[in-house]
Amino acid sequence: MSMNNAPNVFLDPNANRFQVNIINEDHDNNETTQEDVGSDPPHYEETSFTDETHNRLRISYRPGKRELYDNFRQNGEKTEASLHPYDTHSKMYYLQTFGHNTMDPVPKIDYYRNTGSVSGNKLNRPSLLEIHEQLAKNIAVSTGSVERVANGESTAGDETAASKEEENKTGFVKFGWVKGVLVRCMLNIWGVMLFIRLSWIVGQAGIGLGVIIILLATMVTSITGLSTSAIATNGFVRGGGAYYLISRSLGPEFGGSIGLIFAFANAVAVAMYVVGFAETVVELLKESDTLMVDEFNDIRIIGTITVVCLLGISVAGMEWEAKAQVILLIVLLVAIANFFIGTVIPTNTEKKARGFFNYQASIFAENFGPDFRSGEGFFSVFAIFFPAATGILAGANISGDLKDPQSAIPQGTMLAILITTIAYIAVAICAASCVVRDATGNVNDTIVPGMSCNGSSACGLGYDFSRCASQPCDYGLMNNFQVMSMVSGFGPLITAGIFSATLSSALASLVSAPKVFQALCKDNVYKGLEFFAKGYGKNNEPIRGYVLTFVIAMAFILIAELNTIAPIISNFFLASYALINFSCFHASYAKSPGWRPAFRYYNMWVSLFGALLCCGVMFVINWWAALITYAIELFLYIYVTYKKPEVNWGSSTQALYFVNALDSALALTTVEDHVKNFRPQCLALTGAPMVRPALLDITHTFTKNNGLCICCEVYTGPRKLCVKEMNSGMEKKQAWLTKNKRKAFYAAVAADSFRDGVKSLLQASGLGRMKPNTLVVGFKKDWRSAPATQVENYVGIIHDAFDFELGVIIVRISQGFDISQVLQVQEELEKLEQERLALEATIKENDFEEGKRGICGFFKKASTLNISKHETKKESTINTMQSMHVGEFNQRLLEASTQFKKKQGKGTIDIWWLFDDGGLTILIPYILTIRKKWKNCKLRIFTGGKVNRIEEEKLVMASLLSKFRIKFADINIICDINIKPNKESWKFFEEMIEPYRLHESCKDITTAEKLKRETPWKITDAELEAFKEKSYRQVRLNELLQEHSRAANLIVLSLPVARKGAVSDYLYMAWLEILSKNLPPILMVRGNHKNVLTFYS
């Protein structure tokens, strides 16, 4: 074999088209190896894509084309000269996937996108059918299209590029992790609590417990942050924040319920923060005696103006809102820095009188332990502080506006929690190390030499605040909410910080609420809210949502009773945190292969602990608010579950369903079968379930909530067409079962014959212990006109069922089961109706255009008239079609197809239990009587017996049924089963089988043998004579059934068994025909002769 890379090889027109370059990573190695193996051999390429040592991609290049290759590597652009060695060949040979003749595309992200993806258009890879068969059968594929498919390109790819280019032109705003998440979370977490309540908290709880309170709150938020990060990095995150994360993880029921209350909580939080801002402004106005009206109305006025301004910033666009947030953060950081600077600036006499002494070890020691007052305790103080730690979802709530939510949310959220926690702890420790708990504010309360003191740290520093123990004081950590202003270097900066904290939190909530609500409305979880799904502008801003949020915020500002609603809002946020943690736990617990978060620093049990912790904190904050939150969430959950939105997000709930089902199925395999637990598990040969609804209905009646029901269909014919039709209809037919509330599965097989297909189903259907034990089949009404092979297949499946030890139920109703013709006519009428509606819409549109164009519409009159005439003609055609088909509609067939859906009136189910088959013949009707539709029907038992033992037989049967605990209305002993039928009945039977008889006794032996070979399915005289008594019995039984059970609602009869190889198919079908002819609906039942009933406990 020659491995010659000389250029002349590639220019030789006679070279074999499978020649390929030797892959070589060493660009300087141009040596060739030649072996003389006789005549000029073909040249082959050895292509390797991975090096076992380095596991790297290898790239081939032509000898002599080194410069082109180097240029390609450096510039990243393809030059005019192709790197592939076979550019001289037709492009049809090479579809540009690794240079080989294949349609197999290389892996590409666009194949995995959802339809309508905002980040790029979805491409469709070649189907398996195209790769498997198309090129072999159809070589005439257009070169360009195949080439593009092979490269993973298509028109959609061009559209993707165009959309991205348009996106760049319009300036679609996307934020990074700092501006989009970190800034927002820090601003939302640092609330007004930092400036006016943290000093009180550390005064009550002391430094030790105060730090524990902060860390406990941080534990809740940190665990939630970790869970949020895990969920956010498990796939592409769209807009919707907490709602999106929860709904895509736990499903629409949890997501829809929490999404609505989370959006509402954010809307009301706007009012809370704005009122906090307005109260601070009103305090300043009071100090300067410049109130506009009065204190409460001034809060409403200032709050209204503030909300309007914030709404203007939000509506202006996310970019302006982000700039405002950055400015507010700078102000906030300056205010916090101002406090720390103030702690080291030497204090003065006035501040000392108010309890500020700079850093003192004695103050630190005194304030380290708790000093709970006014009925406060650890949990009550924790409940007051905890809302200050919330706000961690501010970045996640605008996930749709982030450049890379998967990396931005974990980085920004976790870093924000870390920074804010450090700040809270630092402020708490610094405040408690500089300021005493109680101070009078009187500069004259100094200690005079010789004066006794209470031994507090203030005494050691020269001040006597002992009177604060007996009367209220206005200063100190416990009494003054403006400690930070007093300690800071420049007091007004703390006021600016308060303004910044309240306004930033209000702005973040004002943005979050509409974004979450818009995502909820887009998913159409609540049908009436589609109006708010529409977005405007380059950022798809939810303007309608902004207006709704504004209205809600204004309503609560004007009410101005936020102290009552505040605990509920805090609990709404905590409920969201709890569900996010539970989502992370649930997704991990479900062990779905789709759960692959890029963020690894989480633990499912920690997430579960976080969820329980959030639930506990809800009750700590306010127990009645927690109960209200749970009640609202439960109501919304039930509502969404009842409405069942048509969405499929691959939630962990679905994954857990599968895991639980699998575990249960595996556990069931270890359980031994017991007769007490027997239940009919039916394999019903319905074909498409909508084609034979009555057969499905009667089967479903005794399997619903009780046993397995599998609707089966067998496709016969050309394999390729069968498989294609079968695969395309699987989901549709299972969906039909679900839509019509039929608790059944659909299964289909493609086979060479109907019998082979059923044989496969009988052997392979089911899973573990959940396998069919009963075959349900409709009676073949057309057996006399059907081809002999069909009859053979039909009888053959009954034999096969018995061979596999399944029971058999053959159901017959007078009108038959197949309503496919009716369905076809209905489908045609629906199409005609759609055409008529489309025609009407066209005429209306033309009339509208005519009205718009005025006099120009006059010239369109003729065309409109033509359309009207066409419409009249079409309508008359429709009417003609309807009148024509009404006559063809078999009304009785339609009624018969729904007869088992209706409630059965008072009547009887007649059970002809002639042969003991293990009890299935009696169990099936018993199950029917415990169903709502059949509960008014009584059981009548008919069985064979002797004339001289009628009463004894009755007592024996009654005793047996009472031991089985089966109630019955009557028992009839039939003594004349074995007498001959009347002549008319027998004559009818003989006439029925006449076309299928061989009559070999009337012919010579040679002719008879020839006929047997040519028509082996015919009934021989010998066979008819051998089974004459059995034939008499079937005819006689029909006479008895006509006499006793003609008025029954349903007949259940022991199915006769045909011995294999002895009874011909047509004789057996004749037995079934004569046995069930001209009767009410009848079930011919034969169990597998294993007990399905027991009288033992």
Side-chain angles (χ1 to χ4, degrees):
M1 174 176 160
S2 174
M3 297 183 181
N4 190 348
N5 279 349
N8 63 344
V9 172
F10 303 108
L11 299 176
D12 182 3
N14 298 319
N16 188 298
R17 74 179 182 91
F18 289 103
Q19 293 171 346
V20 189
N21 284 349
I22 297 176
I23 300 300
N24 193 347
E25 285 191 318
D26 183 2
H27 303 159
D28 299 323
N29 183 7
N30 289 322
E31 296 180 5
T32 58
T33 306
Q34 294 187 358
E35 291 180 355
D36 189 7
V37 287
S39 60
D40 195 12
H43 299 276
Y44 297 94
E45 179 184 277
E46 293 181 357
T47 305
S48 172
F49 295 107
T50 56
D51 187 299
E52 291 181 3
T53 307
H54 303 291
N55 195 25
R56 290 184 293 157
L57 176 69
R58 296 181 172 217
I59 304 173
S60 65
Y61 64 94
R62 263 182 231 185
K65 298 293 181 182
R66 167 73 175 277
E67 296 81 5
L68 291 175
Y69 173 67
D70 289 340
N71 182 52
F72 177 82
R73 290 178 67 211
Q74 292 168 9
N75 299 330
E77 298 176 356
K78 193 170 183 178
T79 59
E80 291 181 7
S82 172
L83 296 178
H84 199 279
Y86 300 115
D87 291 336
T88 56
H89 284 284
S90 165
K91 288 184 180 180
M92 194 56 214
Y93 284 118
Y94 304 102
L95 305 181
Q96 295 188 6
T97 304
F98 306 133
H100 293 292
N101 186 10
T102 177
M103 286 185 69
D104 263 354
V106 295
K108 191 171 184 179
I109 191 172
D110 293 324
Y111 294 130
Y112 297 90
R113 295 190 191 281
N114 286 335
T115 304
S117 171
V118 294
S119 57
N121 289 342
K122 176 180 174 61
L123 299 186
N124 292 320
R125 69 175 65 81
S127 69
L128 188 59
L129 188 66
E130 290 171 334
I131 293 172
H132 194 204
E133 298 190 19
Q134 186 174 349
L135 286 181
K137 300 264 180 99
N138 181 15
I139 304 298
V141 183
S142 63
T143 305
S145 63
V146 175
E147 202 170 278
R148 290 168 69 78
V149 169
N151 283 315
E153 300 172 8
S154 70
T155 310
D158 299 334
E159 291 173 2
T160 303
S163 67
K164 287 183 178 177
E165 185 179 346
E166 184 180 350
E167 184 178 296
N168 293 333
K169 285 180 183 176
T170 55
F172 192 70
V173 180
K174 293 284 188 179
F175 302 115
W177 71 274
V178 174
K179 205 172 181 180
V181 182
L182 180 65
V183 170
R184 292 173 184 279
C185 287
M186 288 172 63
L187 282 170
N188 231 24
I189 295 171
W190 277 334
V192 70
M193 189 77 67
L194 175 67
F195 296 100
I196 62 176
R197 297 303 289 273
L198 189 58
S199 57
W200 177 86
I201 287 167
V202 77
Q204 289 275 358
I207 295 173
L209 288 182
V211 170
I212 290 174
I213 285 172
I214 295 170
L215 291 178
L216 184 58
T218 303
M219 182 191 296
V220 175
T221 56
S222 297
I223 294 172
T224 307
L226 293 173
S227 300
T228 304
S229 301
I231 299 171
T233 57
N234 189 53
F236 182 75
V237 178
R238 292 184 181 174
Y243 159 72
Y244 186 89
L245 298 177
I246 295 170
S247 63
R248 267 49 176 187
S249 183
L250 290 178
E253 296 84 6
F254 280 107
S257 59
I258 205 64
L260 199 60
I261 65 173
F262 187 73
F264 177 77
N266 273 286
V268 178
V270 174
M272 289 177 59
Y273 295 129
V274 167
V275 167
F277 168 77
E279 285 178 349
T280 307
V281 174
V282 168
E283 285 295 324
L284 294 175
L285 293 177
K286 279 174 65 179
E287 289 177 7
S288 57
D289 197 22
T290 53
L291 287 174
M292 292 177 282
V293 183
D294 57 56
E295 189 173 338
F296 289 106
N297 285 315
D298 280 11
I299 289 174
R300 294 188 177 101
I301 294 168
I302 295 168
T304 302
I305 296 170
T306 306
V307 171
V308 171
C309 294
L310 294 176
L311 179 66
I313 294 171
S314 301
V315 172
M318 289 296 295
E319 194 171 7
W320 283 96
E321 189 266 350
K323 289 176 180 176
Q325 293 278 28
V326 171
I327 293 170
L328 291 172
L329 179 63
I330 292 170
V331 173
L332 196 59
L333 290 173
V334 169
I336 294 172
N338 176 48
F339 166 76
F340 288 116
I341 292 170
T343 60
V344 296
I345 295 175
T347 183
N348 54 37
T349 306
E350 184 180 354
K351 288 185 177 182
K352 285 182 178 180
R354 294 181 177 184
F356 174 51
F357 297 95
N358 294 114
Y359 291 104
Q360 302 290 336
S362 58
I363 296 177
F364 179 88
E366 184 180 73
N367 290 342
F368 189 84
D371 185 16
F372 296 112
R373 302 179 190 174
S374 305
E376 300 291 350
F378 177 83
F379 288 109
S380 63
V381 173
F382 172 78
I384 291 169
F385 171 77
F386 184 80
T390 60
I392 60 171
L393 296 180
N397 287 339
I398 62 158
S399 52
D401 297 295
L402 301 175
K403 288 179 185 175
D404 184 9
Q406 287 184 290
S407 63
I409 291 174
Q411 288 180 23
T413 304
M414 298 312 297
L415 187 58
I417 292 172
L418 178 64
I419 293 172
T420 52
T421 301
I422 292 172
Y424 273 128
I425 292 174
V427 169
I429 292 175
C430 290
S433 301
C434 299
V435 183
V436 295
R437 280 193 168 101
D438 298 293
T440 59
N442 189 345
V443 294
N444 296 320
D445 284 344
T446 55
I447 294 178
V448 179
M451 181 178 175
S452 64
C453 191
N454 58 6
S456 65
S457 58
C459 289
L461 296 170
Y463 280 83
D464 179 19
F465 300 140
S466 56
R467 62 189 177 93
C468 291
S470 56
Q471 64 185 56
C473 292
D474 296 329
Y475 297 97
L477 294 175
M478 303 289 280
N479 310 303
N480 183 15
F481 290 156
Q482 303 299 326
V483 166
M484 285 192 72
S485 296
M486 177 189 69
V487 172
S488 64
F490 183 62
L493 276 179
I494 298 299
T495 304
I498 294 172
F499 289 170
S500 173
T502 51
L503 292 177
S504 63
S505 297
L507 192 56
S509 297
L510 186 58
V511 170
S512 297
K515 294 280 185 183
V516 173
F517 193 59
Q518 183 188 34
L520 179 68
C521 297
K522 275 184 178 178
D523 288 336
N524 203 19
V525 175
Y526 299 99
K527 298 293 183 184
L529 301 178
E530 300 97 329
F531 176 78
F532 295 99
K534 184 174 176 59
Y536 296 87
K538 59 189 178 183
N539 264 38
N540 196 32
E541 296 291 346
I543 303 298
R544 295 173 179 178
Y546 283 131
V547 173
L548 179 63
T549 305
F550 170 77
V551 170
I552 293 172
M554 279 299 304
F556 280 97
I557 288 171
L558 295 176
I559 292 171
E561 288 292 335
L562 293 179
N563 288 337
T564 305
I565 202 73
I568 298 177
I569 302 308
S570 296
N571 275 287
F572 281 2
F573 284 121
L574 274 167
S576 305
Y577 295 171
L579 276 182
I580 288 175
N581 284 310
F582 185 72
S583 298
C584 183
F585 163 76
H586 201 268
S588 303
Y589 183 74
K591 299 184 180 77
S592 172
W595 174 249
R596 303 183 301 274
F599 185 82
R600 297 292 181 186
Y601 305 103
Y602 74 96
N603 180 277
M604 59 183 286
W605 300 111
V606 172
S607 295
L608 179 62
F609 173 72
L612 297 175
L613 197 59
C614 289
C615 294
V617 171
M618 289 172 69
F619 282 96
V620 167
I621 289 177
N622 193 300
W623 65 268
W624 58 262
L627 292 177
I628 291 173
T629 304
Y630 286 132
I632 294 172
E633 189 175 334
L634 181 63
F635 169 78
L636 294 173
Y637 178 87
I638 293 171
Y639 173 82
V640 177
T641 304
Y642 176 75
K643 290 295 182 181
K644 290 183 181 175
E646 295 179 1
V647 293
N648 182 12
W649 295 324
S651 66
S652 60
T653 307
Q654 294 172 327
L656 198 60
Y657 283 158
F658 180 86
V659 171
N660 290 339
L662 185 62
D663 290 343
S664 298
L666 289 170
L668 196 59
T669 58
T670 63
V671 178
E672 292 290 332
D673 286 333
H674 194 280
V675 63
K676 285 197 294 185
N677 294 322
F678 176 87
R679 58 198 66 224
Q681 308 209 93
C682 297
L683 190 130
L685 298 182
T686 60
M690 63 283 290
V691 171
R692 294 177 178 81
L695 183 61
L696 171 61
D697 289 338
I698 189 65
T699 309
H700 186 254
T701 304
F702 52 78
T703 60
K704 181 183 178 183
N705 299 328
N706 189 51
L708 180 69
C709 179
I710 305 177
C711 300
C712 299
E713 185 170 10
V714 178
Y715 289 86
T716 57
R719 184 173 181 80
K720 183 177 177 181
L721 293 175
C722 286
V723 170
K724 185 177 180 181
E725 185 182 355
M726 180 180 73
N727 291 340
S728 63
M730 292 286 280
E731 289 187 8
K732 177 185 174 184
K733 289 164 185 175
Q734 184 63 57
W736 185 90
L737 289 170
T738 305
K739 183 181 177 182
N740 288 272
K741 298 180 180 178
R742 296 291 175 265
K743 295 185 177 181
F745 298 97
Y746 172 77
V749 292
D752 295 330
S753 70
F754 178 69
R755 184 177 181 181
D756 287 343
V758 175
K759 202 181 291 186
S760 299
L761 289 165
L762 289 171
Q763 295 177 85
S765 294
L767 186 69
R769 296 285 185 192
M770 293 185 294
K771 290 181 71 70
N773 54 32
T774 307
L775 174 69
V776 180
V777 61
F779 179 72
K780 188 169 180 60
K781 196 178 179 184
D782 64 343
W783 66 275
R784 281 184 275 185
S785 59
T789 53
Q790 288 189 13
V791 177
E792 182 185 357
N793 282 335
Y794 182 82
V795 177
I797 64 172
I798 298 173
H799 288 309
D800 293 336
F802 289 142
D803 286 343
F804 297 129
E805 296 189 340
L806 270 75
V808 174
I809 301 175
I810 299 177
V811 188
R812 182 173 186 180
I813 57 176
S814 58
Q815 300 300 321
F817 292 105
D818 193 344
I819 62 167
S820 54
Q821 290 182 350
V822 177
L823 295 176
Q824 189 176 352
V825 171
Q826 287 178 344
E827 189 177 345
E828 289 175 5
L829 290 175
E830 285 175 5
K831 285 181 181 177
L832 289 170
E833 180 65 16
Q834 288 174 359
E835 287 180 15
R836 187 182 69 80
L837 293 173
L839 211 64
E840 286 181 357
T842 304
I843 291 168
K844 286 180 182 178
E845 187 178 341
N846 285 339
D847 289 344
F848 178 70
E849 290 294 327
E850 182 182 334
K852 278 177 65 180
R853 293 175 185 175
I855 196 166
C856 296
F858 175 78
F859 298 100
K860 299 286 183 181
K861 199 94 172 179
S863 62
T864 306
L865 287 171
N866 286 335
I867 292 171
S868 299
K869 287 177 183 176
H870 181 64
E871 181 205 24
T872 307
K873 184 178 178 183
K874 193 76 177 177
E875 282 186 347
S876 64
T877 306
I878 292 170
N879 292 331
T880 305
M881 289 286 291
Q882 286 177 338
S883 61
M884 181 177 68
H885 284 301
V886 162
E888 296 177 9
F889 265 33
N890 191 329
Q891 193 62 33
R892 287 182 299 173
L893 179 59
L894 279 174
E895 288 176 2
S897 70
T898 59
Q899 63 181 305
F900 297 125
K901 290 181 182 176
K902 300 173 184 174
K903 185 177 177 64
Q904 304 294 317
K906 289 186 177 180
T908 63
I909 298 176
D910 287 0
I911 305 168
W912 289 70
W913 195 12
L914 305 177
F915 310 105
D916 195 331
D917 59 351
L920 188 64
T921 307
I922 200 78
L923 180 63
I924 294 295
Y926 166 74
I927 294 173
L928 289 176
T929 58
I930 62 176
R931 303 299 187 192
K932 188 184 293 184
K933 291 184 177 68
W934 293 86
K935 68 178 182 179
N936 293 328
C937 293
K938 306 296 183 183
L939 297 183
R940 291 200 304 170
I941 312 298
F942 295 83
T943 188
K946 296 179 181 179
V947 178
N948 57 353
R949 286 180 54 82
I950 290 178
E951 292 304 321
E952 290 86 343
E953 298 282 359
K954 274 189 179 182
L955 288 172
V956 169
M957 180 57 69
S959 174
L960 180 62
L961 293 175
S962 63
K963 286 182 179 180
F964 288 147
R965 301 167 307 282
I966 293 176
K967 293 181 180 179
F968 56 90
D970 191 17
I971 295 176
N972 295 275
I973 306 299
I974 308 298
C975 305
D976 50 353
I977 293 177
N978 291 324
I979 67 172
K980 285 185 179 181
N982 63 49
K983 291 181 181 179
E984 291 79 9
S985 301
W986 181 249
K987 184 180 179 182
F988 176 84
F989 179 77
E990 286 185 321
E991 289 175 353
M992 182 171 60
I993 63 173
E994 180 62 31
Y996 316 108
R997 290 187 63 182
L998 192 63
H999 289 295
E1000 79 279 7
S1001 58
C1002 303
K1003 301 176 179 63
D1004 59 80
I1005 297 174
T1006 306
T1007 306
E1009 290 298 325
K1010 183 181 177 183
L1011 286 172
K1012 283 182 182 179
R1013 287 194 300 271
E1014 289 176 354
T1015 55
W1017 45 269
K1018 284 199 171 184
I1019 306 170
T1020 65
D1021 293 340
E1023 178 193 354
L1024 193 60
E1025 185 62 33
F1027 294 101
K1028 195 168 188 177
E1029 291 298 324
K1030 203 164 186 178
S1031 298
Y1032 280 158
R1033 186 191 305 153
Q1034 314 312 323
V1035 179
R1036 176 60 183 157
L1037 275 172
N1038 182 259
E1039 292 176 351
L1040 293 170
L1041 286 163
Q1042 297 283 352
E1043 179 185 345
H1044 295 282
S1045 299
R1046 190 64 188 261
N1049 294 54
L1050 181 71
I1051 299 171
V1052 181
L1053 172 70
S1054 292
L1055 173 70
V1057 177
R1059 195 174 294 277
K1060 276 198 304 182
V1063 179
S1064 63
D1065 298 335
Y1066 276 93
L1067 180 58
Y1068 186 60
M1069 290 304 299
W1071 288 352
L1072 299 183
E1073 173 72 36
I1074 196 66
L1075 190 60
S1076 58
K1077 188 173 179 61
N1078 296 330
L1079 289 169
I1082 182 168
L1083 272 62
M1084 293 177 277
V1085 181
R1086 174 68 69 155
N1088 62 359
H1089 285 240
K1090 293 180 180 178
N1091 287 348
V1092 301
L1093 295 172
T1094 182
F1095 48 81
Y1096 294 108
S1097 60

